[in-house]
Amino acid sequence: MALVYFHCSNSDGVRIDQRGLAVGNLAEARDHAARVVQSLITAQCPEDWRDWTLHASDDLDVEIFALPFSSVLGEPH
């Protein structure tokens, strides 16, 4: 198991994941990332998520992968 953090950023700032999530493999981390993005874009808030990106990082803050919100929104990135 590895602890992965799911930070979100755009050109104006960063939302830091303080807790992280223990995942068994990369596929599990990608699935969780997609769920995080989906939950944020479907939340009842006025945020425009098109320029946001989720950054999955390990416990040493090394980025494992990035998931642009636009890929979940079905828009070109």
Side-chain angles (χ1 to χ4, degrees):
M1 288 253 165
L3 190 58
V4 177
Y5 295 88
F6 299 89
H7 310 302
C8 297
S9 69
N10 70 0
S11 57
D12 294 328
V14 177
R15 292 183 179 195
I16 301 293
D17 174 8
Q18 298 286 338
R19 298 181 317 180
L21 178 72
V23 297
N25 56 46
L26 184 57
E28 188 177 334
R30 288 189 182 276
D31 289 345
H32 181 75
R35 286 191 303 272
V36 168
V37 170
Q38 189 65 42
S39 71
L40 288 171
I41 62 177
T42 59
Q44 296 294 331
C45 69
E47 188 68 50
D48 180 359
W49 296 107
R50 289 177 290 187
D51 69 336
W52 285 81
T53 300
L54 180 142
H55 304 272
S57 302
D58 65 14
D59 57 347
L60 299 175
D61 203 28
V62 174
E63 187 170 290
I64 301 166
F65 64 86
L67 177 63
F69 280 42
S70 60
S71 67
V72 175
L73 291 166
E75 299 174 8
H77 17 209

